[in-house]
């Protein structure tokens, strides 16, 4: 069946069919033409992929993000980012990057960061004299940190595929790598701003002003501490944390910032439901796709082949980096995690690679795929925001992509970035 499955999948992706439908159609075709299994098996596996209590966290975190990333909450975080770095050379670009890092702790999604606060920062940068394409490319790069700093939907899915890690340990493991990625994009923006003369005319705000803005933004930023701290100390599970995040977002939006009204909730819930349905459809199709790989023996064959090569852990990680960067050209992170992690994670564990370290390497790799054509979702989200052709944004991406790859290599070669915090936190 594999000889039908993969060509059909790549053909459908090349034709622009959405990933979930491409995988489902490829599976149906492979079963119909290459096996005696009934097609009902596909439906069974898709439902089995969604029949999971931890997976309930996904729609609730998406709903919490929809509630938190609007109105006064967004502006509070943007003002804090601008007060911290807006006076530097390339200050509005720096504010874009810093605000994305802050929103990563609220949304857990790269696409949500780019579509929400990212779109607002693009408009601010354009008014400040930045080229629109440059602002869009910077937003694409800065949004990568969304699934790395907790909470992260990708990490929840990863923990379901690898029994050696937990959602809590991955949340802790992603904090320092997220900071590394943020610093890498900041350095790239500083270099490009110096070359293009993107100066800042904003004065350095006094400490009292920064403190006032920080206190105003604090309720929004406390969400990450609530989630990670509650999971770490065993107060609630990740699934329960997602529900608490929704109630916390409602309280902050309605009673602290007073930007959320009851009549806004139906539209917010509808948006969250549509996003959740899209994510769960991808996960269900990926489960059916992975089932065919398993019954064909592909994971076992690859595992035996790679182990027979007797690679060192570093060479193996470099090979995984190359594989996932290529895989990310054609596949979004969530199906990538469901298809590849059951194959690669046991091999890495057998080689003595820390499971949290390997998980972060995989997640960062696959997230970078959101910035690369032809499937890179971030490119198309930002393209619609700035009203520019994707090709124009792609031409501006090389300096930022190189910075992201440099951060990936640092995360790969320095395992402590991913293992220290989980270790000292007791995971």
């Amino acid at each position: 069946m594999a000889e039908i499955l993969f060509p059909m999948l790549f053909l459908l992706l090349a034709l622009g069919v959405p990933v979930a439908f491409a995988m489902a159609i490829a599976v149906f075709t492979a079963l119909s033409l290459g096996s005696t299994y009934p097609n009902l098996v596909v439906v069974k596996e898709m439902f089995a992929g969604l029949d999971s209590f931890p997976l309930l966290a996904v729609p609730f975190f998406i709903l919490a993000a929809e509630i938190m990333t609007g109105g006064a909450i967004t502006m509070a975080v943007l003002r804090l980012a601008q007060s911290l770095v807006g006076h530097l050379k390339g200050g509005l670009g720096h504010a874009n990057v810093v605000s994305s890092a802050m929103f990563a702790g609220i949304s857990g999604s790269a696409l949500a960061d780019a579509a929400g606060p990212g779109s607002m920062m693009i408009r601010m940068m354009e008014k400040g004299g930045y080229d629109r394409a440059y602002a869009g490319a910077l937003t694409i790069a800065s949004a990568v940190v969304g699934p790395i700093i907790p909470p992260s939907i990708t990490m929840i899915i990863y923990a379901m595929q690898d029994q050696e890690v937990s959602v809590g340990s991955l949340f802790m493991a992603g904090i320092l790598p997220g900071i590394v990625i943020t610093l890498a994009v900041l350095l790239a923006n500083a270099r490009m701003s110096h070359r293009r003369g993107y100066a800042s005319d904003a004065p350095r705000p006094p400490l009292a002003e920064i403190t006032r803005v920080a206190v105003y933004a604090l309720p929004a930023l406390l969400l990450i501490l609530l989630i990670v701290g509650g999971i770490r100390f065993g107060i609630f599970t990740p699934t329960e944390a997602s529900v608490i995040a929704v109630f916390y977002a409602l309280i902050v939006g309605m009673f602290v910032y007073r930007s959320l009204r009851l009549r806004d909730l139906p539209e917010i819930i509808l948006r969250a439901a549509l996003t959740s349905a899209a994510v769960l459809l991808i996960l269900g199709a990926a489960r059916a796709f992975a089932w065919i790989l398993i019954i064909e023996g592909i994971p076992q064959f690859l595992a035996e082949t790679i182990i027979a090569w007797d690679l060192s852990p570093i060479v193996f990680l470099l090979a995984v980096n190359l594989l996932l960067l290529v895989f990310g050209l054609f596949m979004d992170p969530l199906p990538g995690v469901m298809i590849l992690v059951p194959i690669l994670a046991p091999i890495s564990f057998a080689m003595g690679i820390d499971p949290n370290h390997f998980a972060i390497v995989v997640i960062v790799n696959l997230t970078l795929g959101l910035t690369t054509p032809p499937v890179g979702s971030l490119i198309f989200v930002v393209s619609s925001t700035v009203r520019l052709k994707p090709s124009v944004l792609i031409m501006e991406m090389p300096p930022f992509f190189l910075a992201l790859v440099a951060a990936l290599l640092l995360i790969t070669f320095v395992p402590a970035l991913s293992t220290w915090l989980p270790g000292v936190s007791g995971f």
Side-chain angles (χ1 to χ4, degrees):
M1 286 188 288
E3 64 275 9
I4 300 173
L5 183 69
F6 287 105
M8 177 60 66
L9 175 65
F10 290 128
L11 174 62
L12 293 171
L13 291 175
L15 293 175
V17 177
V19 172
F21 293 104
M23 287 191 294
I25 293 172
V27 171
F28 272 114
T29 305
L31 282 177
S32 299
L33 302 180
S35 79
T36 57
Y37 288 99
N39 286 336
L40 186 62
V41 173
V42 180
V43 180
K44 172 185 173 297
E45 289 299 322
M46 291 181 70
F47 275 97
L50 303 180
D51 186 15
S52 169
F53 179 73
L55 199 58
L56 286 174
V58 172
F60 283 110
F61 274 130
I62 290 174
L63 178 58
E66 287 286 350
I67 296 171
M68 290 289 283
T69 55
I73 298 175
T74 302
M75 290 308 302
V77 175
L78 291 181
R79 281 201 297 266
L80 175 59
Q82 194 166 358
S83 69
L84 292 173
V85 295
H87 60 280
L88 303 174
K89 194 176 186 67
L92 283 177
H94 291 325
N96 187 333
V97 179
V98 172
S99 64
S100 288
M102 292 178 179
F103 271 102
I106 296 174
S107 69
S109 166
L111 299 180
D113 283 3
S119 63
M120 298 177 67
M121 281 306 308
I122 289 172
R123 291 193 293 270
M124 293 171 63
M125 290 178 67
E126 190 174 7
K127 290 180 182 178
Y130 289 74
D131 182 75
R132 190 193 309 175
Y134 176 86
L138 178 61
T139 299
I140 292 171
S142 64
V144 166
V145 79
I148 312 302
I149 294 178
S152 167
I153 294 170
T154 307
M155 290 178 181
I156 295 171
I157 305 304
Y158 189 103
M160 293 173 58
Q161 310 305 314
D162 184 3
Q163 301 302 314
E164 301 297 332
V165 298
S166 66
V167 174
S169 69
L170 290 184
F171 279 5
M172 296 302 298
I175 294 174
L176 291 181
I179 294 173
V180 168
I181 293 171
T182 301
L183 292 175
V185 180
L186 283 172
L187 290 173
N189 176 65
R191 180 173 177 272
M192 294 299 295
S193 296
H194 180 77
R195 290 180 57 186
R196 298 191 180 194
Y198 290 145
S200 174
D201 55 3
R204 180 193 295 269
L207 181 59
E209 175 66 15
I210 297 176
T211 303
R212 186 187 66 81
V213 174
V215 169
Y216 185 68
L218 188 60
L221 299 179
L222 281 177
L223 180 61
I224 182 174
L225 294 178
L226 174 67
I227 293 170
V228 176
I231 295 173
R232 163 61 188 86
F233 293 107
I235 301 173
F236 38 69
T237 67
T239 304
E240 293 165 345
S242 66
V243 179
I244 291 171
V246 170
F247 282 100
Y248 180 82
L250 286 171
I251 293 171
V252 169
M254 296 181 71
F255 303 111
V256 178
Y257 293 108
R258 298 184 180 180
S259 61
L260 179 65
R261 295 163 294 185
L262 284 176
R263 65 172 178 266
D264 298 329
L265 289 180
E267 182 181 354
I268 290 173
I269 294 172
L270 177 61
R271 289 201 306 268
L274 292 174
T275 303
S276 300
V279 170
L280 295 176
L281 186 60
I282 290 174
L283 296 179
R287 167 62 182 258
F289 193 94
W291 175 79
I292 285 192
L293 298 184
I294 292 171
I295 65 172
E296 287 284 278
I298 293 176
Q300 299 90 324
F301 171 76
L302 289 177
E304 293 171 0
T305 302
I306 294 174
I307 291 174
W309 288 345
D310 196 24
L311 300 175
S312 68
I314 288 297
V315 174
F316 172 73
L317 286 174
L318 289 175
V320 168
N321 279 337
L322 182 59
L323 168 67
L324 295 182
L325 287 174
V326 173
F327 189 88
L329 295 174
F330 308 100
M331 192 72 69
D332 285 338
L334 293 182
V337 165
M338 293 197 69
I339 293 171
L340 295 176
V341 170
I343 300 173
L344 299 175
I347 302 173
S348 71
F349 186 70
M351 289 183 169
I353 299 171
D354 185 276
N356 287 309
H357 177 217
F358 184 74
I360 296 301
V361 170
V362 170
I363 292 170
V364 173
N365 260 294
L366 292 175
T367 304
L368 289 188
L370 295 173
T371 71
T372 54
V375 179
S377 302
L378 280 173
I379 297 174
F380 296 101
V381 168
V382 175
S383 172
S384 63
T385 299
V386 299
R387 298 180 182 177
L388 289 174
K389 293 181 179 179
S391 58
V392 177
L393 294 174
I394 293 169
M395 292 295 292
E396 291 278 3
M397 278 299 299
F400 302 117
F401 188 76
L402 289 175
L404 292 171
V405 171
L408 170 62
L409 292 176
L410 183 61
I411 293 166
T412 301
F413 287 117
V414 185
L417 290 171
S418 307
T419 60
W420 181 71
L421 273 180
V424 298
S425 302
F427 285 105

